[in-house]
Amino acid sequence: MKTIVKILLAAIVLSLAPTTYVCAQGNIETPAERKAREAREAEAKRKKQQQEAAARRQREEEARKKREAEEARKKQEAEEEAACKERLASCGKFYEGLANFKDENYLYGFIDETGKIVIPCKWKWADRFYDGIARVADANGKFGYINKAGTLVVPCQWKYANYYFTEGLTYVKDDNDKYGFINESGTLVIPCIWKDTWCFKEGLAYVKDQNGKCGFIDKTGQLVIPCKWDAALAFSEGLAKVKDNTGKWGFIDKTGTVIIPCKWYDAWTFNEGLANVKDANEKWGFIDKTGKIILPCKWSDTYGFGSAGEGLASVQDDNGVWHKIDKTGKVVK
């Protein structure tokens, strides 16, 4: 009986004591502690879900940007490909791997053989590349030269300039309409004092003085053949054609000596030892360097030997038909 009473009293005491719990870690916690723990766990779970959602949104955003970037890249490539084709269809002829072209603003630049722009369009005019440089004109219409990187190697300061250099020099015209020569660095090596001129060939260049007479200068600018001819052309194979005051053409050597008298109504330079000349009947034939007629004057027009291939010249008959002849005058094609 006493034992039963003790058990009942113990049960009553326990029922009056605060409720306790055993947490996952094995610690005994009160209801308040349990509530706080559950709140922390719920907050941690919420934050984790937020972080996972944020990470998912970030991945989706990155994927979207990547797709858009790829689509933009493909679109740009397609547009550039179309633009390249358009530039290739409208550009000039390729020289040394580059061709000039004009953009929608009527400015010139250069493209490579794929149509890609390698020198931006900013020039009022641009010529073909020749030995690594090209003549360009700026917004003021003044001429200079650029290299293949597009760098200006000779400033745009000339009223006119030849499009290529020969023997390291080219002729330019200043604001006074006088001609001189510059080297490839742009230095004026022969002053602008001549009324007209042409390229250096075989060490000499033809010049015209203020009286309209023609002679030849060397690369120092010294006049080595006096200005006494009405017209002249560059030296070729040691001879230059000149026109006297009767309007007839002949040939001189580099000392200015007349080698072939001025008796021809027109003439062209020597090539492969022969020059084409026109007689009083306006027919063309060929002479050698002594002035001897090698092929009779019977053609309506001619191009010199080498123009139709080595050892060949182009000639036109009275019917307007062009042929190729060899140095014996035989029609070969």
Coordinates of all heavy atoms in Angstrom, one line a residue, residues 119-164:
I119 N 41.9 48.9 -94.2 CA 42.2 50.3 -94.1 C 40.9 51.1 -94.2 O 40.2 51.0 -95.2 CB 43.2 50.8 -95.2 CG1 44.6 50.0 -95.0 CG2 43.5 52.3 -95.1 CD1 45.6 50.4 -96.1
P120 N 40.5 51.7 -93.1 CA 39.2 52.4 -93.0 C 39.0 53.4 -94.1 O 39.9 54.0 -94.6 CB 39.2 53.1 -91.6 CG 40.2 52.3 -90.8 CD 41.3 51.9 -91.8
C121 N 37.7 53.6 -94.4 CA 37.3 54.6 -95.5 C 37.4 56.0 -94.9 O 36.5 56.4 -94.2 CB 36.0 54.3 -96.0 SG 35.8 52.7 -96.9
K122 N 38.4 56.7 -95.2 CA 38.5 58.1 -94.8 C 39.2 59.0 -95.8 O 39.4 60.2 -95.5 CB 39.3 58.2 -93.4 CG 40.8 57.8 -93.5 CD 41.4 58.0 -92.2 CE 42.9 57.8 -92.2 NZ 43.6 58.1 -90.9
W123 N 39.5 58.5 -97.0 CA 40.2 59.3 -98.0 C 39.3 59.7 -99.1 O 38.4 59.0 -99.5 CB 41.3 58.4 -98.6 CG 42.3 57.9 -97.5 CD1 42.4 56.6 -97.1 CD2 43.2 58.7 -96.8 NE1 43.3 56.6 -96.1 CE2 43.9 57.8 -95.9 CE3 43.6 60.0 -96.8 CZ2 44.9 58.3 -95.1 CZ3 44.6 60.5 -96.0 CH2 45.2 59.6 -95.1
K124 N 39.5 60.9 -99.6 CA 38.7 61.5 -100.7 C 39.0 60.7 -102.0 O 38.2 60.6 -102.9 CB 39.0 62.9 -100.9 CG 38.1 63.7 -101.8 CD 38.4 65.2 -101.8 CE 37.4 65.9 -102.8 NZ 37.7 67.4 -102.8
W125 N 40.2 60.2 -102.1 CA 40.7 59.4 -103.2 C 41.7 58.4 -102.7 O 42.5 58.7 -101.8 CB 41.2 60.2 -104.3 CG 41.7 59.4 -105.5 CD1 43.0 59.2 -105.8 CD2 40.9 58.7 -106.4 NE1 43.1 58.4 -106.9 CE2 41.8 58.0 -107.3 CE3 39.6 58.4 -106.6 CZ2 41.4 57.2 -108.3 CZ3 39.2 57.6 -107.6 CH2 40.1 57.0 -108.5
A126 N 41.8 57.3 -103.4 CA 42.9 56.3 -103.1 C 43.2 55.5 -104.3 O 42.2 55.0 -105.0 CB 42.5 55.4 -101.9
D127 N 44.4 55.3 -104.6 CA 44.9 54.5 -105.8 C 45.3 53.1 -105.4 O 45.3 52.8 -104.2 CB 46.0 55.2 -106.5 CG 45.6 56.4 -107.4 OD1 44.9 56.1 -108.3 OD2 45.9 57.5 -107.1
R128 N 45.7 52.3 -106.3 CA 46.2 51.0 -106.1 C 47.5 51.0 -105.3 O 48.2 52.0 -105.3 CB 46.4 50.3 -107.4 CG 47.3 51.0 -108.4 CD 47.9 50.2 -109.4 NE 48.9 49.3 -108.9 CZ 49.8 48.6 -109.6 NH1 49.6 48.6 -111.0 NH2 50.7 47.9 -109.1
F129 N 47.8 49.9 -104.6 CA 49.1 49.8 -104.0 C 50.2 49.5 -105.1 O 49.9 48.7 -106.0 CB 49.1 48.8 -102.9 CG 48.7 49.3 -101.6 CD1 47.4 49.4 -101.2 CD2 49.7 49.9 -100.7 CE1 47.0 49.9 -100.0 CE2 49.3 50.4 -99.5 CZ 48.0 50.4 -99.1
Y130 N 51.3 50.1 -104.9 CA 52.4 49.9 -105.8 C 53.7 49.8 -105.0 O 54.1 50.8 -104.4 CB 52.5 51.0 -106.9 CG 53.4 50.7 -108.0 CD1 52.8 50.3 -109.2 CD2 54.7 51.0 -108.0 CE1 53.6 50.1 -110.4 CE2 55.5 50.8 -109.1 CZ 55.0 50.3 -110.3 OH 55.8 50.1 -111.4
D131 N 54.4 48.7 -104.9 CA 55.6 48.5 -104.1 C 55.3 48.9 -102.6 O 56.2 49.5 -102.0 CB 56.7 49.3 -104.7 CG 57.3 48.8 -106.0 OD1 57.1 47.6 -106.2 OD2 57.9 49.5 -106.7
G132 N 54.1 48.5 -102.1 CA 53.9 48.7 -100.7 C 53.3 50.0 -100.3 O 53.0 50.2 -99.1
I133 N 53.1 51.0 -101.2 CA 52.5 52.3 -100.9 C 51.4 52.6 -101.9 O 51.4 52.1 -103.0 CB 53.6 53.4 -100.8 CG1 54.3 53.6 -102.1 CG2 54.6 53.2 -99.7 CD1 55.2 54.8 -102.1
A134 N 50.5 53.4 -101.4 CA 49.4 53.9 -102.3 C 49.2 55.4 -102.1 O 49.3 55.9 -101.0 CB 48.1 53.1 -101.9
R135 N 48.9 56.0 -103.3 CA 48.6 57.4 -103.2 C 47.2 57.7 -102.7 O 46.2 56.9 -103.1 CB 48.7 58.0 -104.7 CG 48.4 59.5 -104.7 CD 48.5 60.0 -106.2 NE 47.5 59.4 -107.0 CZ 47.3 59.9 -108.3 NH1 48.0 60.8 -108.8 NH2 46.3 59.3 -109.0
V136 N 47.0 58.6 -101.8 CA 45.7 59.0 -101.3 C 45.5 60.5 -101.3 O 46.5 61.3 -101.4 CB 45.5 58.5 -99.8 CG1 45.5 57.0 -99.8 CG2 46.6 59.0 -98.9
A137 N 44.3 61.0 -101.3 CA 44.0 62.4 -101.2 C 43.1 62.6 -100.0 O 42.2 61.8 -99.7 CB 43.3 62.9 -102.4
D138 N 43.4 63.7 -99.2 CA 42.6 63.9 -98.0 C 41.4 64.8 -98.3 O 41.1 65.0 -99.5 CB 43.5 64.6 -96.9 CG 44.0 66.0 -97.3 OD1 43.5 66.5 -98.4 OD2 44.9 66.5 -96.7
A139 N 40.7 65.2 -97.3 CA 39.5 66.0 -97.5 C 39.7 67.3 -98.2 O 38.7 67.8 -98.8 CB 38.8 66.2 -96.1
N140 N 40.9 67.8 -98.2 CA 41.2 69.0 -98.9 C 41.7 68.8 -100.3 O 42.0 69.8 -101.0 CB 42.3 69.8 -98.1 CG 41.8 70.2 -96.7 OD1 40.7 70.7 -96.6 ND2 42.7 70.0 -95.7
G141 N 41.7 67.5 -100.7 CA 42.2 67.2 -102.1 C 43.7 67.2 -102.2 O 44.2 67.1 -103.4
K142 N 44.4 67.2 -101.2 CA 45.9 67.2 -101.2 C 46.3 65.7 -101.2 O 45.8 64.9 -100.5 CB 46.5 68.0 -100.1 CG 46.2 69.5 -100.2 CD 46.9 70.1 -101.4 CE 46.6 71.6 -101.5 NZ 47.4 72.3 -100.5
F143 N 47.4 65.5 -101.9 CA 47.9 64.1 -102.1 C 49.1 63.8 -101.2 O 49.9 64.6 -100.9 CB 48.3 63.9 -103.6 CG 47.1 63.8 -104.5 CD1 46.7 64.9 -105.1 CD2 46.5 62.6 -104.8 CE1 45.6 64.9 -106.0 CE2 45.4 62.5 -105.7 CZ 45.0 63.7 -106.3
G144 N 49.1 62.5 -100.8 CA 50.2 61.9 -100.0 C 50.2 60.4 -100.2 O 49.5 59.9 -101.2
Y145 N 50.9 59.7 -99.4 CA 51.0 58.2 -99.6 C 50.9 57.5 -98.2 O 51.3 58.0 -97.2 CB 52.4 57.9 -100.2 CG 52.6 58.5 -101.6 CD1 53.1 59.8 -101.7 CD2 52.3 57.8 -102.7 CE1 53.2 60.3 -103.0 CE2 52.5 58.3 -104.0 CZ 52.9 59.6 -104.1 OH 53.1 60.2 -105.3
I146 N 50.2 56.3 -98.3 CA 50.1 55.5 -97.1 C 50.8 54.1 -97.4 O 51.0 53.8 -98.5 CB 48.6 55.2 -96.7 CG1 47.8 54.6 -97.9 CG2 47.9 56.5 -96.3 CD1 46.4 54.1 -97.5
N147 N 51.1 53.4 -96.3 CA 51.6 52.0 -96.4 C 50.4 51.1 -96.2 O 49.3 51.5 -96.0 CB 52.7 51.8 -95.5 CG 52.4 51.9 -94.0 OD1 51.2 51.9 -93.7 ND2 53.3 52.1 -93.2
K148 N 50.7 49.8 -96.2 CA 49.6 48.8 -96.1 C 49.0 48.7 -94.7 O 47.9 48.1 -94.6 CB 50.2 47.4 -96.5 CG 50.4 47.3 -98.0 CD 50.8 45.8 -98.4 CE 50.9 45.7 -99.9 NZ 51.2 44.3 -100.3
A149 N 49.6 49.3 -93.7 CA 49.0 49.4 -92.4 C 48.0 50.6 -92.4 O 47.3 50.8 -91.3 CB 50.1 49.5 -91.3
G150 N 48.0 51.4 -93.4 CA 47.1 52.6 -93.4 C 47.8 53.8 -92.9 O 47.2 54.9 -92.7
T151 N 49.1 53.7 -92.5 CA 49.9 54.8 -91.9 C 50.3 55.8 -93.0 O 50.8 55.3 -94.1 CB 51.1 54.3 -91.2 OG1 50.7 53.3 -90.2 CG2 51.8 55.4 -90.5
L152 N 50.1 57.0 -92.8 CA 50.5 58.1 -93.7 C 52.1 58.2 -93.7 O 52.6 58.6 -92.7 CB 49.9 59.4 -93.4 CG 49.8 60.5 -94.4 CD1 49.0 60.0 -95.6 CD2 49.2 61.7 -93.9
V153 N 52.7 57.8 -94.8 CA 54.2 57.8 -94.8 C 54.7 59.1 -95.5 O 55.9 59.5 -95.3 CB 54.8 56.6 -95.5 CG1 54.5 55.3 -94.6 CG2 54.2 56.4 -96.9
V154 N 53.9 59.7 -96.4 CA 54.2 61.0 -97.0 C 52.9 61.9 -96.8 O 51.9 61.5 -97.2 CB 54.5 60.9 -98.5 CG1 54.7 62.2 -99.1 CG2 55.7 60.0 -98.7
P155 N 53.1 63.0 -96.0 CA 51.9 63.8 -95.7 C 51.2 64.3 -96.9 O 51.7 64.5 -98.0 CB 52.6 65.0 -95.0 CG 53.9 64.5 -94.5 CD 54.3 63.5 -95.5
C156 N 49.9 64.5 -96.8 CA 49.0 65.0 -97.8 C 49.2 66.5 -97.9 O 48.5 67.3 -97.3 CB 47.6 64.6 -97.6 SG 47.2 62.9 -97.7
Q157 N 50.1 66.9 -98.8 CA 50.5 68.3 -98.9 C 50.6 68.8 -100.4 O 50.8 70.0 -100.6 CB 51.8 68.6 -98.2 CG 53.0 68.0 -98.8 CD 54.2 68.2 -98.0 OE1 54.5 67.5 -97.0 NE2 55.0 69.3 -98.3
W158 N 50.5 67.8 -101.3 CA 50.7 68.2 -102.7 C 49.4 68.3 -103.5 O 48.5 67.6 -103.3 CB 51.6 67.1 -103.4 CG 52.9 66.9 -102.6 CD1 53.3 65.9 -101.8 CD2 54.0 67.8 -102.6 NE1 54.5 66.1 -101.3 CE2 55.0 67.3 -101.8 CE3 54.3 69.0 -103.3 CZ2 56.2 68.0 -101.6 CZ3 55.5 69.7 -103.1 CH2 56.4 69.1 -102.2
K159 N 49.5 69.3 -104.4 CA 48.3 69.5 -105.3 C 48.1 68.4 -106.2 O 47.0 68.1 -106.6 CB 48.5 70.8 -106.1 CG 47.2 71.3 -106.8 CD 47.5 72.7 -107.4 CE 46.2 73.2 -108.1 NZ 46.4 74.6 -108.7
Y160 N 49.2 67.7 -106.6 CA 49.1 66.5 -107.4 C 50.4 65.7 -107.1 O 51.4 66.2 -106.8 CB 49.0 66.8 -108.9 CG 48.9 65.6 -109.8 CD1 47.7 64.9 -109.9 CD2 50.1 65.0 -110.4 CE1 47.6 63.8 -110.7 CE2 50.0 63.9 -111.1 CZ 48.8 63.2 -111.3 OH 48.7 62.1 -112.0
A161 N 50.2 64.4 -107.3 CA 51.4 63.5 -107.1 C 51.1 62.3 -108.0 O 50.0 61.8 -108.2 CB 51.5 63.0 -105.7
N162 N 52.2 61.7 -108.6 CA 52.1 60.5 -109.4 C 51.7 59.4 -108.5 O 52.0 59.4 -107.3 CB 53.4 60.2 -110.1 CG 53.3 59.1 -111.1 OD1 52.2 59.0 -111.7 ND2 54.3 58.4 -111.3
Y163 N 51.0 58.4 -109.0 CA 50.5 57.3 -108.2 C 51.6 56.2 -107.8 O 51.3 55.4 -107.0 CB 49.3 56.6 -108.8 CG 49.5 55.6 -109.9 CD1 49.7 54.3 -109.6 CD2 49.6 56.0 -111.2 CE1 49.9 53.4 -110.6 CE2 49.8 55.1 -112.2 CZ 50.0 53.8 -111.9 OH 50.2 52.9 -112.9
Y164 N 52.8 56.3 -108.4 CA 53.8 55.3 -108.1 C 55.2 56.0 -108.2 O 55.4 57.1 -108.8 CB 53.8 54.1 -109.0 CG 54.0 54.4 -110.4 CD1 55.3 54.2 -111.0 CD2 53.0 54.8 -111.3 CE1 55.6 54.5 -112.3 CE2 53.2 55.0 -112.6 CZ 54.5 54.9 -113.1 OH 54.8 55.1 -114.5

